[in-house]
């Protein structure tokens, strides 16, 4: 069964799902959702995702949305296929969940603010909120200091194994490093930088960037 | 092994964890963290939770933080003990994860804003941001309309079984209904209201409110 992924390939949340599907060797087909034409707010798409956010997947009769729920579903459904992304023990899985939550609660939001201000506000002719930018950069810096400490003790976020926790960070960090000229925030932290080089060298992520 | 839960019992995230532990019949001990004295930002606590947020748990040598990661861990570790909170199939678990994510990404944030403005700003002598309040209430209303539709089709969020998805909503919705006089947002929606009556009538939640 080919999994249908509804969403623009350029969206961070879609990329999170696609990276996971490739790591798990799951065949998929992308159904483009046109943000510019507001397709994600049209009745057809809202049947799949009532909140109007991308992505949503269809796997036979089964529909699921929320990128972090989708990656957990495939990591579990195909536990023994492709890269194991959940750890070997229940405690390792606990730590995977902890760092997926840290990404969701502490990490992506300041990057989202920076990307919005630096990349999209100029395109849309909107003013840049300098105060919000400063606060977001400061907040992200503090979060990254904790990552630096963590990654000085283990190779990956949840331990010495690559997992959903690392994978979940790829799309937004990609914008931080390559989209808005803030690579120094990663590069100036020795262990975060080595981690970033490692996780971006994986074939699945490279394939997603080429889609 | 008695689980040590570090956090003030009144915090929403601590309550989420305690409700889960009681549903799973897991013995615990609460180690109070004094927010008023900034104990959550002191070195001793930061060793457990480097970001300075509550709660964190200690289970023997194992430490975990982020409330939604902790409830997943215990729901999985004691799958067969107490209330099953993850569903019976991998698809049911997928839907549980989806609605835990919806709570995390769409639901709690407007309530958090309302609680902050209506309950804490007056106490701290800060002005109320009327625009933010209006926007938050409008946003939450739209989210609850989607919940109303969902709960007209299944008894609980992930299906016809009580799960982590419902449990995760208890603490913030409690503030909405009982703390800031916005009960109408739940009560005026027939299916949301019935769901709320159902999930708050559970013994585990009642016990948490009495702690």
């Amino acid at each position: 069964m080919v999994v249908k992924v509804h969403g623009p390939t350029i969206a961070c949340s879609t990329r999170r799902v696609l990276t996971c599907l490739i790591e798990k060797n799951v065949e998929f087909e992308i159904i483009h959702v046109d943000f510019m034409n507001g397709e994600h707010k049209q009745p057809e798409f809202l049947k799949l995702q009532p909140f109007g956010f991308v992505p949503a997947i269809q796997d036979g009769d089964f529909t699921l949305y929320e990128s972090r729920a989708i990656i957990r579903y495939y990591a579990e459904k195909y536990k023994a296929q492709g890269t194991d992304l959940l750890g070997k023990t229940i405690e390792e899985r606990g730590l995977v969940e902890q760092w997926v939550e840290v990404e969701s609660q502490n990490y992506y939001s300041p990057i989202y603010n920076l990307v919005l201000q630096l990349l999209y506000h100029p395109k849309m002719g909107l003013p840049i909120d300098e105060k919000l930018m400063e606060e977001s950069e400061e907040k992200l810096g503090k979060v990254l200091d904790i990552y630096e400490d963590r990654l000085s003790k283990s190779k990956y976020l949840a331990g010495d194994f690559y997992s959903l926790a690392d994978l979940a960070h790829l799309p937004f960090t990609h914008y931080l490093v390559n989209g808005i000229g803030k690579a120094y925030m990663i590069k100036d932290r020795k262990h975060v930088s080595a981690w970033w080089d490692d996780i971006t060298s994986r074939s699945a992520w490279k394939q997603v960037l080429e889609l």
Side-chain angles (χ1 to χ4, degrees), chain A residues 2-6 31 48 56-60 62-64 74:
Chain A
V2 176
V3 176
K4 289 182 182 166
V5 180
H6 298 258
I31 318 282
L48 289 175
I57 63 99
Q58 284 181 293
D59 193 339
F62 184 61
T63 298
L64 197 65
Y74 283 106

Side-chain angles (χ1 to χ4, degrees), chain A residues 162-191:
Chain A
Y162 181 72
S163 76
L164 285 188
D166 310 293
L167 184 155
H169 285 75
L170 283 163
F172 274 102
T173 317
H174 175 74
Y175 268 111
L176 182 77
V177 171
N178 303 297
I180 56 170
K182 300 283 179 190
Y184 85 92
M185 297 193 78
I186 300 296
K187 302 295 173 195
D188 287 359
R189 291 172 171 90
K190 184 181 154 194
H191 295 97

Side-chain angles (χ1 to χ4, degrees), chain A residues 2 6 16 22 43 103 114 117 127 130-131 159 165 170 190 192:
Chain A
V2 176
H6 298 258
R16 197 178 279 131
I22 297 175
E103 188 273 336
L114 288 170
Q117 295 295 321
E130 297 286 351
K131 186 164 166 279
L170 283 163
K190 184 181 154 194
V192 173

Side-chain angles (χ1 to χ4, degrees), chain A residues 4-7 11-18 20-21 41 45 48-58 62-75 97 100-101 103-105 108 164 167-168 172:
Chain A
K4 289 182 182 166
V5 180
H6 298 258
C12 284
S13 46
T14 312
R15 283 183 167 172
R16 197 178 279 131
V17 167
L18 295 173
C20 177
L21 292 174
K41 304 293 180 193
F45 184 74
L48 289 175
Q49 214 298 10
F51 298 93
F53 299 124
V54 292
I57 63 99
Q58 284 181 293
F62 184 61
T63 298
L64 197 65
Y65 53 82
E66 282 294 338
S67 66
R68 296 177 191 85
I70 298 170
I71 61 176
R72 287 180 177 105
Y73 172 71
Y74 283 106
E97 296 291 356
V100 172
E101 284 295 327
E103 188 273 336
S104 156
Q105 302 297 323
Y108 95 87
L164 285 188
L167 184 155
F172 274 102

